[in-house]
């Protein structure tokens, strides 16, 4: 599920997240900051990293907006 595809249909974005495009976009900077802060120091299982991790282009969900969409829609 990609944010760019979902945002083209406002009703689909609203049904998945409960937010309009403007509301969703307002969450992105805060989410991105906290995601980078957490993920650079801890693994997804909560264990401290032995070395700092960086976002890679080959990751399963490379874009921050797609990560936020996945998290919000799965709640």
């Amino acid at each position: 599920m990609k944010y760019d595809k979902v945002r083209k249909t406002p009703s689909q974005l609203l049904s998945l997240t409960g937010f309009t495009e403007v509301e969703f976009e307002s969450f992105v900077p805060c989410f991105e900051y906290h995601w980078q802060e957490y993920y650079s120091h801890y693994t997804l299982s909560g264990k401290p990293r032995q070395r700092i991790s960086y976002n890679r282009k080959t990751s399963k969900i490379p874009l921050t907006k797609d990560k936020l969409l996945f998290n919000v829609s799965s709640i």
Side-chain angles (χ1 to χ4, degrees):
M1 175 175 5
K2 300 285 184 183
Y3 174 72
D4 288 336
K5 289 183 181 179
V6 173
R7 93 180 160 137
K8 291 178 183 175
T9 312
S11 60
Q12 186 179 14
L13 179 64
L14 188 61
S15 68
L16 280 171
T17 64
F19 300 113
T20 63
E21 183 179 355
V22 173
E23 293 169 332
F24 185 86
E25 290 284 338
S26 68
F27 287 116
V28 173
C30 182
F31 176 79
E32 184 171 23
Y33 171 77
H34 288 289
W35 175 264
Q36 293 300 330
E37 184 67 25
Y38 179 84
Y39 190 66
S40 66
H41 297 291
Y42 297 97
T43 64
L44 291 178
S45 62
K47 297 177 182 175
R49 289 191 179 276
Q50 294 182 3
R51 57 185 175 170
I52 293 178
S53 177
Y54 299 101
N55 193 17
R56 297 179 184 182
K57 293 179 183 178
T58 59
S59 68
K60 300 289 183 191
I61 307 175
L63 300 176
T64 303
K65 290 180 182 179
D66 294 337
K67 290 174 187 167
L68 179 59
L69 178 64
F70 175 77
N71 285 322
V72 171
S73 65
S74 65
I75 293 177

